[in-house]
PDB file of all heavy atoms in Angstrom:
ATOM      1  N   THR A 398     -66.418-180.473 -68.144  1.00 98.00           N
ATOM      2  CA  THR A 398     -65.520-179.756 -69.059  1.00 98.00           C
ATOM      3  C   THR A 398     -64.912-180.705 -70.081  1.00 98.00           C
ATOM      4  O   THR A 398     -64.475-181.799 -69.724  1.00 98.00           O
ATOM      5  CB  THR A 398     -64.379-179.107 -68.227  1.00 98.00           C
ATOM      6  OG1 THR A 398     -64.962-178.171 -67.319  1.00 98.00           O
ATOM      7  CG2 THR A 398     -63.364-178.390 -69.111  1.00 98.00           C
ATOM      8  N   VAL A 399     -64.891-180.272 -71.322  1.00 98.00           N
ATOM      9  CA  VAL A 399     -64.185-181.069 -72.333  1.00 98.00           C
ATOM     10  C   VAL A 399     -62.958-180.280 -72.811  1.00 98.00           C
ATOM     11  O   VAL A 399     -63.061-179.109 -73.167  1.00 98.00           O
ATOM     12  CB  VAL A 399     -65.115-181.510 -73.494  1.00 98.00           C
ATOM     13  CG1 VAL A 399     -65.754-180.349 -74.222  1.00 98.00           C
ATOM     14  CG2 VAL A 399     -64.358-182.379 -74.480  1.00 98.00           C
ATOM     15  N   PHE A 400     -61.804-180.939 -72.757  1.00 98.00           N
ATOM     16  CA  PHE A 400     -60.557-180.356 -73.266  1.00 98.00           C
ATOM     17  C   PHE A 400     -60.340-180.873 -74.685  1.00 98.00           C
ATOM     18  O   PHE A 400     -60.592-182.052 -74.960  1.00 98.00           O
ATOM     19  CB  PHE A 400     -59.360-180.807 -72.417  1.00 98.00           C
ATOM     20  CG  PHE A 400     -59.369-180.236 -71.027  1.00 98.00           C
ATOM     21  CD1 PHE A 400     -60.033-180.880 -69.988  1.00 98.00           C
ATOM     22  CD2 PHE A 400     -58.714-179.038 -70.751  1.00 98.00           C
ATOM     23  CE1 PHE A 400     -60.053-180.343 -68.713  1.00 98.00           C
ATOM     24  CE2 PHE A 400     -58.723-178.500 -69.480  1.00 98.00           C
ATOM     25  CZ  PHE A 400     -59.397-179.157 -68.462  1.00 98.00           C
ATOM     26  N   ILE A 401     -59.845-179.993 -75.541  1.00 99.00           N
ATOM     27  CA  ILE A 401     -59.498-180.423 -76.906  1.00 99.00           C
ATOM     28  C   ILE A 401     -58.039-180.047 -77.164  1.00 99.00           C
ATOM     29  O   ILE A 401     -57.652-178.896 -76.943  1.00 99.00           O
ATOM     30  CB  ILE A 401     -60.364-179.699 -77.972  1.00 99.00           C
ATOM     31  CG1 ILE A 401     -61.847-179.780 -77.639  1.00 99.00           C
ATOM     32  CG2 ILE A 401     -60.086-180.266 -79.362  1.00 99.00           C
ATOM     33  CD1 ILE A 401     -62.718-178.853 -78.482  1.00 99.00           C
ATOM     34  N   THR A 402     -57.241-181.018 -77.600  1.00 98.00           N
ATOM     35  CA  THR A 402     -55.895-180.705 -78.110  1.00 98.00           C
ATOM     36  C   THR A 402     -55.806-181.349 -79.497  1.00 98.00           C
ATOM     37  O   THR A 402     -55.614-182.554 -79.620  1.00 98.00           O
ATOM     38  CB  THR A 402     -54.778-181.241 -77.191  1.00 98.00           C
ATOM     39  OG1 THR A 402     -55.035-182.617 -76.883  1.00 98.00           O
ATOM     40  CG2 THR A 402     -54.659-180.450 -75.912  1.00 98.00           C
ATOM     41  N   GLU A 403     -56.001-180.541 -80.509  1.00 98.00           N
ATOM     42  CA  GLU A 403     -56.014-181.047 -81.890  1.00 98.00           C
ATOM     43  C   GLU A 403     -54.673-180.728 -82.528  1.00 98.00           C
ATOM     44  O   GLU A 403     -54.381-179.569 -82.843  1.00 98.00           O
ATOM     45  CB  GLU A 403     -57.170-180.386 -82.654  1.00 98.00           C
ATOM     46  CG  GLU A 403     -57.288-180.851 -84.083  1.00 98.00           C
ATOM     47  CD  GLU A 403     -58.431-180.150 -84.840  1.00 98.00           C
ATOM     48  OE1 GLU A 403     -59.297-179.498 -84.205  1.00 98.00           O
ATOM     49  OE2 GLU A 403     -58.452-180.247 -86.075  1.00 98.00           O
ATOM     50  N   CYS A 404     -53.859-181.735 -82.676  1.00 97.00           N
ATOM     51  CA  CYS A 404     -52.524-181.585 -83.292  1.00 97.00           C
ATOM     52  C   CYS A 404     -51.658-180.573 -82.546  1.00 97.00           C
ATOM     53  O   CYS A 404     -51.120-179.645 -83.140  1.00 97.00           O
ATOM     54  CB  CYS A 404     -52.694-181.154 -84.752  1.00 97.00           C
ATOM     55  SG  CYS A 404     -51.753-182.204 -85.840  1.00 97.00           S
ATOM     56  N   VAL A 405     -51.563-180.743 -81.248  1.00 97.00           N
ATOM     57  CA  VAL A 405     -50.849-179.785 -80.392  1.00 97.00           C
ATOM     58  C   VAL A 405     -49.834-180.482 -79.481  1.00 97.00           C
ATOM     59  O   VAL A 405     -48.653-180.113 -79.452  1.00 97.00           O
ATOM     60  CB  VAL A 405     -51.861-179.002 -79.505  1.00 97.00           C
ATOM     61  CG1 VAL A 405     -51.140-178.048 -78.569  1.00 97.00           C
ATOM     62  CG2 VAL A 405     -52.872-178.266 -80.353  1.00 97.00           C
ATOM     63  N   LEU A 406     -50.288-181.511 -78.756  1.00 97.00           N
ATOM     64  CA  LEU A 406     -49.425-182.127 -77.726  1.00 97.00           C
ATOM     65  C   LEU A 406     -48.134-182.675 -78.317  1.00 97.00           C
ATOM     66  O   LEU A 406     -47.096-182.690 -77.659  1.00 97.00           O
ATOM     67  CB  LEU A 406     -50.162-183.256 -76.996  1.00 97.00           C
ATOM     68  CG  LEU A 406     -51.343-182.848 -76.121  1.00 97.00           C
ATOM     69  CD1 LEU A 406     -51.855-184.048 -75.343  1.00 97.00           C
ATOM     70  CD2 LEU A 406     -50.989-181.709 -75.171  1.00 97.00           C
ATOM     71  N   VAL A 407     -48.188-183.104 -79.560  1.00 96.00           N
ATOM     72  CA  VAL A 407     -47.025-183.721 -80.195  1.00 96.00           C
ATOM     73  C   VAL A 407     -45.861-182.731 -80.349  1.00 96.00           C
ATOM     74  O   VAL A 407     -44.716-183.138 -80.491  1.00 96.00           O
ATOM     75  CB  VAL A 407     -47.460-184.334 -81.552  1.00 96.00           C
ATOM     76  CG1 VAL A 407     -47.711-183.260 -82.586  1.00 96.00           C
ATOM     77  CG2 VAL A 407     -46.485-185.380 -82.029  1.00 96.00           C
ATOM     78  N   TYR A 408     -46.159-181.434 -80.268  1.00 94.00           N
ATOM     79  CA  TYR A 408     -45.103-180.417 -80.380  1.00 94.00           C
ATOM     80  C   TYR A 408     -44.480-180.095 -79.021  1.00 94.00           C
ATOM     81  O   TYR A 408     -43.579-179.263 -78.930  1.00 94.00           O
ATOM     82  CB  TYR A 408     -45.666-179.116 -80.982  1.00 94.00           C
ATOM     83  CG  TYR A 408     -46.161-179.294 -82.401  1.00 94.00           C
ATOM     84  CD1 TYR A 408     -47.504-179.158 -82.727  1.00 94.00           C
ATOM     85  CD2 TYR A 408     -45.268-179.620 -83.422  1.00 94.00           C
ATOM     86  CE1 TYR A 408     -47.952-179.336 -84.028  1.00 94.00           C
ATOM     87  CE2 TYR A 408     -45.704-179.807 -84.721  1.00 94.00           C
ATOM     88  CZ  TYR A 408     -47.047-179.664 -85.012  1.00 94.00           C
ATOM     89  OH  TYR A 408     -47.482-179.850 -86.299  1.00 94.00           O
ATOM     90  N   ILE A 409     -44.995-180.727 -77.977  1.00 96.00           N
ATOM     91  CA  ILE A 409     -44.566-180.387 -76.611  1.00 96.00           C
ATOM     92  C   ILE A 409     -43.780-181.552 -76.015  1.00 96.00           C
ATOM     93  O   ILE A 409     -44.126-182.715 -76.239  1.00 96.00           O
ATOM     94  CB  ILE A 409     -45.822-180.055 -75.757  1.00 96.00           C
ATOM     95  CG1 ILE A 409     -46.497-178.797 -76.332  1.00 96.00           C
ATOM     96  CG2 ILE A 409     -45.478-179.873 -74.296  1.00 96.00           C
ATOM     97  CD1 ILE A 409     -47.777-178.412 -75.653  1.00 96.00           C
ATOM     98  N   GLU A 410     -42.749-181.230 -75.247  1.00 97.00           N
ATOM     99  CA  GLU A 410     -41.952-182.276 -74.583  1.00 97.00           C
ATOM    100  C   GLU A 410     -42.855-183.185 -73.760  1.00 97.00           C
ATOM    101  O   GLU A 410     -43.718-182.680 -73.025  1.00 97.00           O
ATOM    102  CB  GLU A 410     -41.005-181.609 -73.587  1.00 97.00           C
ATOM    103  CG  GLU A 410     -39.582-181.479 -74.032  1.00 97.00           C
ATOM    104  CD  GLU A 410     -38.798-180.824 -72.934  1.00 97.00           C
ATOM    105  OE1 GLU A 410     -38.573-181.482 -71.902  1.00 97.00           O
ATOM    106  OE2 GLU A 410     -38.471-179.648 -73.098  1.00 97.00           O
ATOM    107  N   PRO A 411     -42.661-184.513 -73.820  1.00 98.00           N
ATOM    108  CA  PRO A 411     -43.558-185.450 -73.129  1.00 98.00           C
ATOM    109  C   PRO A 411     -43.751-185.148 -71.636  1.00 98.00           C
ATOM    110  O   PRO A 411     -44.857-185.260 -71.125  1.00 98.00           O
ATOM    111  CB  PRO A 411     -42.862-186.802 -73.303  1.00 98.00           C
ATOM    112  CG  PRO A 411     -41.977-186.639 -74.483  1.00 98.00           C
ATOM    113  CD  PRO A 411     -41.621-185.188 -74.610  1.00 98.00           C
ATOM    114  N   LYS A 412     -42.675-184.712 -70.975  1.00 98.00           N
ATOM    115  CA  LYS A 412     -42.807-184.430 -69.533  1.00 98.00           C
ATOM    116  C   LYS A 412     -43.833-183.295 -69.316  1.00 98.00           C
ATOM    117  O   LYS A 412     -44.661-183.345 -68.401  1.00 98.00           O
ATOM    118  CB  LYS A 412     -41.425-184.004 -69.009  1.00 98.00           C
ATOM    119  CG  LYS A 412     -41.333-183.927 -67.533  1.00 98.00           C
ATOM    120  CD  LYS A 412     -39.896-183.697 -67.070  1.00 98.00           C
ATOM    121  CE  LYS A 412     -39.870-182.711 -65.941  1.00 98.00           C
ATOM    122  NZ  LYS A 412     -39.136-181.505 -66.184  1.00 98.00           N
ATOM    123  N   LEU A 413     -43.802-182.318 -70.197  1.00 98.00           N
ATOM    124  CA  LEU A 413     -44.690-181.163 -70.039  1.00 98.00           C
ATOM    125  C   LEU A 413     -46.115-181.472 -70.509  1.00 98.00           C
ATOM    126  O   LEU A 413     -47.086-181.008 -69.911  1.00 98.00           O
ATOM    127  CB  LEU A 413     -44.120-179.954 -70.788  1.00 98.00           C
ATOM    128  CG  LEU A 413     -42.731-179.514 -70.298  1.00 98.00           C
ATOM    129  CD1 LEU A 413     -42.209-178.334 -71.096  1.00 98.00           C
ATOM    130  CD2 LEU A 413     -42.770-179.156 -68.810  1.00 98.00           C
ATOM    131  N   SER A 414     -46.241-182.302 -71.559  1.00 98.00           N
ATOM    132  CA  SER A 414     -47.616-182.642 -71.970  1.00 98.00           C
ATOM    133  C   SER A 414     -48.264-183.550 -70.929  1.00 98.00           C
ATOM    134  O   SER A 414     -49.462-183.467 -70.670  1.00 98.00           O
ATOM    135  CB  SER A 414     -47.662-183.261 -73.368  1.00 98.00           C
ATOM    136  OG  SER A 414     -46.903-184.427 -73.435  1.00 98.00           O
ATOM    137  N   SER A 415     -47.436-184.401 -70.264  1.00 98.00           N
ATOM    138  CA  SER A 415     -47.982-185.232 -69.175  1.00 98.00           C
ATOM    139  C   SER A 415     -48.462-184.349 -68.024  1.00 98.00           C
ATOM    140  O   SER A 415     -49.528-184.580 -67.441  1.00 98.00           O
ATOM    141  CB  SER A 415     -46.912-186.187 -68.626  1.00 98.00           C
ATOM    142  OG  SER A 415     -46.622-187.160 -69.587  1.00 98.00           O
ATOM    143  N   GLN A 416     -47.674-183.323 -67.717  1.00 98.00           N
ATOM    144  CA  GLN A 416     -48.081-182.397 -66.641  1.00 98.00           C
ATOM    145  C   GLN A 416     -49.421-181.732 -66.971  1.00 98.00           C
ATOM    146  O   GLN A 416     -50.278-181.556 -66.112  1.00 98.00           O
ATOM    147  CB  GLN A 416     -47.033-181.289 -66.482  1.00 98.00           C
ATOM    148  CG  GLN A 416     -45.941-181.642 -65.498  1.00 98.00           C
ATOM    149  CD  GLN A 416     -44.822-180.600 -65.485  1.00 98.00           C
ATOM    150  OE1 GLN A 416     -44.991-179.449 -65.877  1.00 98.00           O
ATOM    151  NE2 GLN A 416     -43.661-181.035 -65.038  1.00 98.00           N
ATOM    152  N   LEU A 417     -49.582-181.392 -68.255  1.00 98.00           N
ATOM    153  CA  LEU A 417     -50.813-180.732 -68.694  1.00 98.00           C
ATOM    154  C   LEU A 417     -52.014-181.681 -68.546  1.00 98.00           C
ATOM    155  O   LEU A 417     -53.065-181.305 -68.008  1.00 98.00           O
ATOM    156  CB  LEU A 417     -50.643-180.309 -70.163  1.00 98.00           C
ATOM    157  CG  LEU A 417     -51.790-179.574 -70.818  1.00 98.00           C
ATOM    158  CD1 LEU A 417     -51.968-178.194 -70.196  1.00 98.00           C
ATOM    159  CD2 LEU A 417     -51.531-179.410 -72.326  1.00 98.00           C
ATOM    160  N   ILE A 418     -51.830-182.921 -68.983  1.00 98.00           N
ATOM    161  CA  ILE A 418     -52.911-183.914 -68.888  1.00 98.00           C
ATOM    162  C   ILE A 418     -53.245-184.175 -67.415  1.00 98.00           C
ATOM    163  O   ILE A 418     -54.419-184.257 -67.025  1.00 98.00           O
ATOM    164  CB  ILE A 418     -52.497-185.219 -69.619  1.00 98.00           C
ATOM    165  CG1 ILE A 418     -52.412-184.966 -71.130  1.00 98.00           C
ATOM    166  CG2 ILE A 418     -53.465-186.359 -69.327  1.00 98.00           C
ATOM    167  CD1 ILE A 418     -51.856-186.127 -71.935  1.00 98.00           C
ATOM    168  N   GLU A 419     -52.205-184.247 -66.598  1.00 98.00           N
ATOM    169  CA  GLU A 419     -52.411-184.491 -65.162  1.00 98.00           C
ATOM    170  C   GLU A 419     -53.149-183.321 -64.508  1.00 98.00           C
ATOM    171  O   GLU A 419     -54.099-183.499 -63.749  1.00 98.00           O
ATOM    172  CB  GLU A 419     -51.052-184.699 -64.487  1.00 98.00           C
ATOM    173  CG  GLU A 419     -51.184-185.141 -63.046  1.00 98.00           C
ATOM    174  CD  GLU A 419     -49.847-185.230 -62.336  1.00 98.00           C
ATOM    175  OE1 GLU A 419     -48.823-184.751 -62.881  1.00 98.00           O
ATOM    176  OE2 GLU A 419     -49.840-185.759 -61.219  1.00 98.00           O
ATOM    177  N   TRP A 420     -52.730-182.107 -64.866  1.00 98.00           N
ATOM    178  CA  TRP A 420     -53.376-180.904 -64.320  1.00 98.00           C
ATOM    179  C   TRP A 420     -54.877-180.914 -64.667  1.00 98.00           C
ATOM    180  O   TRP A 420     -55.724-180.673 -63.805  1.00 98.00           O
ATOM    181  CB  TRP A 420     -52.688-179.647 -64.893  1.00 98.00           C
ATOM    182  CG  TRP A 420     -53.491-178.403 -64.718  1.00 98.00           C
ATOM    183  CD1 TRP A 420     -53.545-177.604 -63.611  1.00 98.00           C
ATOM    184  CD2 TRP A 420     -54.401-177.831 -65.670  1.00 98.00           C
ATOM    185  NE1 TRP A 420     -54.426-176.567 -63.822  1.00 98.00           N
ATOM    186  CE2 TRP A 420     -54.963-176.688 -65.070  1.00 98.00           C
ATOM    187  CE3 TRP A 420     -54.785-178.175 -66.962  1.00 98.00           C
ATOM    188  CZ2 TRP A 420     -55.890-175.876 -65.729  1.00 98.00           C
ATOM    189  CZ3 TRP A 420     -55.717-177.383 -67.615  1.00 98.00           C
ATOM    190  CH2 TRP A 420     -56.256-176.238 -66.994  1.00 98.00           C
ATOM    191  N   ALA A 421     -55.190-181.227 -65.916  1.00 98.00           N
ATOM    192  CA  ALA A 421     -56.585-181.196 -66.362  1.00 98.00           C
ATOM    193  C   ALA A 421     -57.416-182.209 -65.562  1.00 98.00           C
ATOM    194  O   ALA A 421     -58.501-181.889 -65.065  1.00 98.00           O
ATOM    195  CB  ALA A 421     -56.658-181.484 -67.859  1.00 98.00           C
ATOM    196  N   GLY A 422     -56.892-183.429 -65.430  1.00 98.00           N
ATOM    197  CA  GLY A 422     -57.648-184.475 -64.735  1.00 98.00           C
ATOM    198  C   GLY A 422     -57.794-184.194 -63.245  1.00 98.00           C
ATOM    199  O   GLY A 422     -58.816-184.526 -62.636  1.00 98.00           O
ATOM    200  N   LYS A 423     -56.768-183.590 -62.664  1.00 98.00           N
ATOM    201  CA  LYS A 423     -56.776-183.340 -61.216  1.00 98.00           C
ATOM    202  C   LYS A 423     -57.752-182.224 -60.837  1.00 98.00           C
ATOM    203  O   LYS A 423     -58.411-182.268 -59.798  1.00 98.00           O
ATOM    204  CB  LYS A 423     -55.353-182.943 -60.817  1.00 98.00           C
ATOM    205  CG  LYS A 423     -55.084-182.938 -59.340  1.00 98.00           C
ATOM    206  CD  LYS A 423     -53.593-182.869 -59.095  1.00 98.00           C
ATOM    207  CE  LYS A 423     -53.297-181.851 -58.015  1.00 98.00           C
ATOM    208  NZ  LYS A 423     -51.894-181.460 -58.010  1.00 98.00           N
ATOM    209  N   HIS A 424     -57.858-181.222 -61.705  1.00 98.00           N
ATOM    210  CA  HIS A 424     -58.659-180.040 -61.355  1.00 98.00           C
ATOM    211  C   HIS A 424     -60.106-180.108 -61.831  1.00 98.00           C
ATOM    212  O   HIS A 424     -60.939-179.341 -61.355  1.00 98.00           O
ATOM    213  CB  HIS A 424     -57.999-178.784 -61.916  1.00 98.00           C
ATOM    214  CG  HIS A 424     -56.743-178.422 -61.196  1.00 98.00           C
ATOM    215  ND1 HIS A 424     -56.707-177.507 -60.167  1.00 98.00           N
ATOM    216  CD2 HIS A 424     -55.485-178.884 -61.323  1.00 98.00           C
ATOM    217  CE1 HIS A 424     -55.472-177.408 -59.712  1.00 98.00           C
ATOM    218  NE2 HIS A 424     -54.705-178.239 -60.396  1.00 98.00           N
ATOM    219  N   PHE A 425     -60.404-180.977 -62.801  1.00 98.00           N
ATOM    220  CA  PHE A 425     -61.760-181.013 -63.368  1.00 98.00           C
ATOM    221  C   PHE A 425     -62.292-182.436 -63.199  1.00 98.00           C
ATOM    222  O   PHE A 425     -61.948-183.334 -63.977  1.00 98.00           O
ATOM    223  CB  PHE A 425     -61.734-180.603 -64.844  1.00 98.00           C
ATOM    224  CG  PHE A 425     -61.265-179.189 -65.061  1.00 98.00           C
ATOM    225  CD1 PHE A 425     -59.904-178.882 -65.039  1.00 98.00           C
ATOM    226  CD2 PHE A 425     -62.175-178.155 -65.261  1.00 98.00           C
ATOM    227  CE1 PHE A 425     -59.458-177.574 -65.226  1.00 98.00           C
ATOM    228  CE2 PHE A 425     -61.737-176.844 -65.441  1.00 98.00           C
ATOM    229  CZ  PHE A 425     -60.379-176.564 -65.427  1.00 98.00           C
ATOM    230  N   SER A 426     -63.126-182.646 -62.170  1.00 96.00           N
ATOM    231  CA  SER A 426     -63.467-184.024 -61.802  1.00 96.00           C
ATOM    232  C   SER A 426     -64.495-184.665 -62.744  1.00 96.00           C
ATOM    233  O   SER A 426     -64.595-185.880 -62.817  1.00 96.00           O
ATOM    234  CB  SER A 426     -63.957-184.075 -60.357  1.00 96.00           C
ATOM    235  OG  SER A 426     -65.077-183.245 -60.231  1.00 96.00           O
ATOM    236  N   THR A 427     -65.252-183.830 -63.464  1.00 97.00           N
ATOM    237  CA  THR A 427     -66.139-184.382 -64.494  1.00 97.00           C
ATOM    238  C   THR A 427     -65.666-183.797 -65.819  1.00 97.00           C
ATOM    239  O   THR A 427     -65.981-182.652 -66.156  1.00 97.00           O
ATOM    240  CB  THR A 427     -67.613-184.024 -64.210  1.00 97.00           C
ATOM    241  OG1 THR A 427     -67.946-184.582 -62.935  1.00 97.00           O
ATOM    242  CG2 THR A 427     -68.546-184.578 -65.267  1.00 97.00           C
ATOM    243  N   SER A 428     -64.861-184.563 -66.516  1.00 98.00           N
ATOM    244  CA  SER A 428     -64.242-183.988 -67.714  1.00 98.00           C
ATOM    245  C   SER A 428     -63.806-185.059 -68.697  1.00 98.00           C
ATOM    246  O   SER A 428     -63.671-186.241 -68.347  1.00 98.00           O
ATOM    247  CB  SER A 428     -63.044-183.126 -67.325  1.00 98.00           C
ATOM    248  OG  SER A 428     -62.122-183.889 -66.593  1.00 98.00           O
ATOM    249  N   MET A 429     -63.586-184.579 -69.929  1.00 98.00           N
ATOM    250  CA  MET A 429     -63.044-185.452 -70.987  1.00 98.00           C
ATOM    251  C   MET A 429     -61.880-184.734 -71.615  1.00 98.00           C
ATOM    252  O   MET A 429     -61.888-183.503 -71.713  1.00 98.00           O
ATOM    253  CB  MET A 429     -64.070-185.642 -72.105  1.00 98.00           C
ATOM    254  CG  MET A 429     -65.119-186.624 -71.799  1.00 98.00           C
ATOM    255  SD  MET A 429     -65.983-187.118 -73.300  1.00 98.00           S
ATOM    256  CE  MET A 429     -65.298-188.732 -73.530  1.00 98.00           C
ATOM    257  N   PHE A 430     -60.909-185.488 -72.059  1.00 98.00           N
ATOM    258  CA  PHE A 430     -59.758-184.895 -72.744  1.00 98.00           C
ATOM    259  C   PHE A 430     -59.693-185.541 -74.127  1.00 98.00           C
ATOM    260  O   PHE A 430     -59.541-186.762 -74.243  1.00 98.00           O
ATOM    261  CB  PHE A 430     -58.483-185.202 -71.941  1.00 98.00           C
ATOM    262  CG  PHE A 430     -57.331-184.288 -72.262  1.00 98.00           C
ATOM    263  CD1 PHE A 430     -56.879-183.364 -71.333  1.00 98.00           C
ATOM    264  CD2 PHE A 430     -56.693-184.348 -73.490  1.00 98.00           C
ATOM    265  CE1 PHE A 430     -55.809-182.514 -71.618  1.00 98.00           C
ATOM    266  CE2 PHE A 430     -55.635-183.503 -73.791  1.00 98.00           C
ATOM    267  CZ  PHE A 430     -55.178-182.587 -72.848  1.00 98.00           C
ATOM    268  N   LEU A 431     -59.854-184.768 -75.178  1.00 98.00           N
ATOM    269  CA  LEU A 431     -59.828-185.292 -76.555  1.00 98.00           C
ATOM    270  C   LEU A 431     -58.533-184.856 -77.215  1.00 98.00           C
ATOM    271  O   LEU A 431     -58.270-183.658 -77.329  1.00 98.00           O
ATOM    272  CB  LEU A 431     -60.989-184.715 -77.375  1.00 98.00           C
ATOM    273  CG  LEU A 431     -62.389-184.728 -76.766  1.00 98.00           C
ATOM    274  CD1 LEU A 431     -63.378-184.079 -77.732  1.00 98.00           C
ATOM    275  CD2 LEU A 431     -62.803-186.160 -76.442  1.00 98.00           C
ATOM    276  N   ASN A 432     -57.737-185.820 -77.622  1.00 98.00           N
ATOM    277  CA  ASN A 432     -56.466-185.489 -78.258  1.00 98.00           C
ATOM    278  C   ASN A 432     -56.372-186.137 -79.639  1.00 98.00           C
ATOM    279  O   ASN A 432     -56.671-187.318 -79.804  1.00 98.00           O
ATOM    280  CB  ASN A 432     -55.305-185.985 -77.378  1.00 98.00           C
ATOM    281  CG  ASN A 432     -53.962-185.678 -78.009  1.00 98.00           C
ATOM    282  OD1 ASN A 432     -53.704-184.546 -78.430  1.00 98.00           O
ATOM    283  ND2 ASN A 432     -53.096-186.672 -78.103  1.00 98.00           N
ATOM    284  N   TYR A 433     -55.968-185.330 -80.619  1.00 98.00           N
ATOM    285  CA  TYR A 433     -55.726-185.843 -81.976  1.00 98.00           C
ATOM    286  C   TYR A 433     -54.283-185.529 -82.314  1.00 98.00           C
ATOM    287  O   TYR A 433     -53.823-184.405 -82.092  1.00 98.00           O
ATOM    288  CB  TYR A 433     -56.657-185.129 -82.972  1.00 98.00           C
ATOM    289  CG  TYR A 433     -56.310-185.406 -84.421  1.00 98.00           C
ATOM    290  CD1 TYR A 433     -56.916-186.443 -85.116  1.00 98.00           C
ATOM    291  CD2 TYR A 433     -55.363-184.626 -85.081  1.00 98.00           C
ATOM    292  CE1 TYR A 433     -56.584-186.705 -86.444  1.00 98.00           C
ATOM    293  CE2 TYR A 433     -55.031-184.885 -86.411  1.00 98.00           C
ATOM    294  CZ  TYR A 433     -55.641-185.925 -87.073  1.00 98.00           C
ATOM    295  OH  TYR A 433     -55.314-186.185 -88.380  1.00 98.00           O
ATOM    296  N   GLU A 434     -53.544-186.521 -82.828  1.00 98.00           N
ATOM    297  CA  GLU A 434     -52.158-186.236 -83.194  1.00 98.00           C
ATOM    298  C   GLU A 434     -51.555-187.364 -84.042  1.00 98.00           C
ATOM    299  O   GLU A 434     -52.105-188.471 -84.098  1.00 98.00           O
ATOM    300  CB  GLU A 434     -51.301-186.015 -81.943  1.00 98.00           C
ATOM    301  CG  GLU A 434     -51.108-187.228 -81.080  1.00 98.00           C
ATOM    302  CD  GLU A 434     -50.269-186.925 -79.832  1.00 98.00           C
ATOM    303  OE1 GLU A 434     -49.984-185.752 -79.540  1.00 98.00           O
ATOM    304  OE2 GLU A 434     -49.904-187.894 -79.148  1.00 98.00           O
ATOM    305  N   PRO A 435     -50.402-187.094 -84.664  1.00 97.00           N
ATOM    306  CA  PRO A 435     -49.715-188.174 -85.364  1.00 97.00           C
ATOM    307  C   PRO A 435     -49.106-189.162 -84.381  1.00 97.00           C
ATOM    308  O   PRO A 435     -48.778-188.784 -83.257  1.00 97.00           O
ATOM    309  CB  PRO A 435     -48.620-187.454 -86.158  1.00 97.00           C
ATOM    310  CG  PRO A 435     -48.444-186.135 -85.523  1.00 97.00           C
ATOM    311  CD  PRO A 435     -49.723-185.809 -84.815  1.00 97.00           C
ATOM    312  N   PHE A 436     -48.990-190.407 -84.768  1.00 97.00           N
ATOM    313  CA  PHE A 436     -48.342-191.422 -83.922  1.00 97.00           C
ATOM    314  C   PHE A 436     -47.798-192.513 -84.841  1.00 97.00           C
ATOM    315  O   PHE A 436     -47.790-192.324 -86.069  1.00 97.00           O
ATOM    316  CB  PHE A 436     -49.330-191.971 -82.870  1.00 97.00           C
ATOM    317  CG  PHE A 436     -50.244-193.065 -83.367  1.00 97.00           C
ATOM    318  CD1 PHE A 436     -50.384-194.267 -82.678  1.00 97.00           C
ATOM    319  CD2 PHE A 436     -50.972-192.924 -84.543  1.00 97.00           C
ATOM    320  CE1 PHE A 436     -51.216-195.280 -83.139  1.00 97.00           C
ATOM    321  CE2 PHE A 436     -51.803-193.927 -85.013  1.00 97.00           C
ATOM    322  CZ  PHE A 436     -51.920-195.104 -84.304  1.00 97.00           C
ATOM    323  N   ASN A 437     -47.338-193.602 -84.281  1.00 96.00           N
ATOM    324  CA  ASN A 437     -46.932-194.750 -85.086  1.00 96.00           C
ATOM    325  C   ASN A 437     -45.816-194.375 -86.079  1.00 96.00           C
ATOM    326  O   ASN A 437     -45.849-194.754 -87.243  1.00 96.00           O
ATOM    327  CB  ASN A 437     -48.193-195.261 -85.831  1.00 96.00           C
ATOM    328  CG  ASN A 437     -47.962-196.520 -86.617  1.00 96.00           C
ATOM    329  OD1 ASN A 437     -46.998-197.238 -86.365  1.00 96.00           O
ATOM    330  ND2 ASN A 437     -48.833-196.785 -87.577  1.00 96.00           N
TER     331      ASN A 437
END
Side-chain angles (χ1 to χ4, degrees):
T398 298
V399 59
F400 292 88
I401 310 168
T402 49
E403 181 181 346
C404 231
V405 178
L406 293 187
V407 73
Y408 296 114
I409 296 176
E410 258 181 71
K412 191 172 139 241
L413 300 179
S414 59
S415 291
Q416 270 173 22
L417 181 68
I418 292 173
E419 188 185 11
W420 164 84
K423 193 166 135 197
H424 289 265
F425 297 80
S426 59
T427 300
S428 57
M429 281 196 105
F430 199 111
L431 312 179
N432 179 49
Y433 170 93
E434 67 181 9
F436 83 129
N437 185 19

